[in-house]
Amino acid sequence: MTFENLLIADRAGVRTVTVNRPDKLNALNARTLDELRLAFEAVRDDEAVRVVVLAGAGEKAFVAGADIGELATLTPVQAQVFSRAGQRLMRAIETLGKPVIARVQGFALGGGLELAMCCHLRIASEKARLGLPEITLGLLPGFGGTQRMLRLAGRAATLELCLTGQPVDAARALALGLVNRVVAAEALDTEVEALASQLAGSAPHALAGILDAVVRGGECPLDEGLDYETKAFALCCSTADMREGTSAFLERRKPAFTGT
Ligand code: COA
């Protein structure tokens, strides 16, 4: 599959999807959103892909938001279509059933932070700046940003970031729970690759069970969430990987998971 605005690279179970519009700080225009939708559909259907790294091209930005040139002319009806398309993409990433790691090296603003927040893990460079500046455009986040930030960082921080539009640096993002780890800019690739390789070598059905229990469990009453957990736990016991993992422990050797 070839794309105009995405780069795709595969290595040992890890697919890296890079938004590639560096001259526009990787801003999400309608075409890029659609290409991301197709790229993640392909990931869902490809058993060889165990983990996705989502990145932005260039040094300066992960993604600096929705494309303001396109936003500027939206009618209310077009805005609804655009918002729903973004929300659907981000929900598809969140419920992909495989871990998605956002590699955040610079600006993650507006739709860019919304995209990072629907990923399961976020590793940021110390140079990253994250925010929801839509208010400065007379707008508000439309790809799920109000809702996902609320769930990740709580109401006080979400209201502060949305109402002021002021971005935060990587250290504050870490303190707020918006990112998992902050590393030196030159260590970002090594850190992301190590994490992605670790996950790619893990049992995929167990990873999927964790994602399902945590993502869906976080959206429903405790008893339903516990039910997700039990079902995923029981399903894992039908896999060869579970037998391999437990046998390897008992035999004092490293497990070799096969995804079966
Ligand atoms: N949509 C469309 N184009 C964008 C963009 C966006 N969200 N963010 C950056 N760009 C473009 C700029 O228009 C510029 O293009 P040009 O060279 O053709 O004029 C290019 O990317 C470089 O950006 P520039 O503003 O010159 O870089 P900077 O270092 O001065 O500032 C930012 C960087 C991120 C602070 C600034 O680009 C910015 O505020 N972007 C918009 C962020 C935003 O509001 N996002 C939310 C949108 S919902």
Side-chain angles (χ1 to χ4, degrees):
M1 206 178 280
T2 53
F3 296 106
E4 189 177 292
N5 296 330
L6 300 182
L7 300 172
I8 307 287
D10 283 337
R11 195 160 68 88
V14 179
R15 176 159 299 173
T16 301
V17 177
T18 303
V19 179
N20 187 32
R21 299 182 75 208
D23 53 328
K24 294 288 174 193
L25 303 189
N26 305 317
L28 300 173
N29 58 4
R31 178 168 187 132
T32 308
L33 279 180
D34 203 46
E35 290 188 355
L36 282 168
R37 177 182 66 77
L38 293 170
F40 276 92
E41 273 173 17
V43 165
R44 186 184 290 274
D45 297 339
D46 189 342
E47 272 189 37
V49 180
R50 299 284 175 83
V51 178
V52 180
V53 172
L54 186 54
E59 289 288 300
K60 215 168 148 182
F62 169 67
V63 167
D67 191 311
I68 298 170
E70 286 189 2
L71 284 184
T73 59
L74 288 180
T75 66
V77 171
Q78 290 167 334
Q80 195 168 331
V81 171
F82 188 67
S83 168
R84 292 271 186 240
Q87 287 184 352
R88 261 198 310 276
L89 165 69
M90 301 204 186
R91 187 63 174 156
I93 294 173
E94 192 166 50
T95 58
L96 185 69
K98 304 179 187 194
V100 183
I101 303 167
R103 174 194 180 281
V104 183
Q105 82 277 32
F107 291 111
L109 299 176
L113 179 52
E114 292 176 295
L115 186 61
M117 286 194 294
C118 74
C119 297
H120 305 108
L121 297 163
R122 284 159 293 283
I123 310 297
S125 140
E126 62 195 356
K127 293 186 178 157
R129 287 180 71 75
L130 300 88
L132 294 175
E134 286 86 347
I135 187 66
T136 64
L137 305 169
L139 266 173
L140 65 146
F143 293 163
T146 57
Q147 301 310 299
R148 289 200 177 85
M149 187 177 284
L150 185 59
R151 285 159 175 75
L152 275 174
R155 188 156 77 170
T158 303
L159 284 173
E160 182 189 332
L161 268 71
C162 289
L163 292 175
T164 66
Q166 198 71 41
V168 295
D169 64 14
R172 175 113 197 269
L174 184 65
L176 290 175
L178 284 179
V179 299
N180 294 85
R181 299 180 196 170
V182 175
V183 296
E186 55 281 9
L188 185 61
D189 280 327
T190 315
E191 187 81 8
V192 169
E193 277 163 27
L195 179 61
S197 301
Q198 183 196 338
L199 297 179
S202 300
H205 294 289
L207 292 175
I210 291 166
L211 291 171
D212 196 42
V214 174
V215 172
R216 297 200 190 271
E219 299 164 358
C220 63
L222 180 63
D223 283 331
E224 263 179 60
L226 290 172
D227 225 33
Y228 277 120
E229 186 185 82
T230 295
K231 289 196 171 107
F233 182 81
L235 193 65
C236 267
C237 293
S238 69
T239 63
D241 280 344
M242 178 271 186
R243 303 291 161 212
E244 166 64 8
T246 50
S247 306
F249 176 82
L250 296 171
E251 292 160 15
R252 297 179 182 277
R253 59 178 174 80
K254 276 187 77 157
F257 295 117
T258 57
T260 54

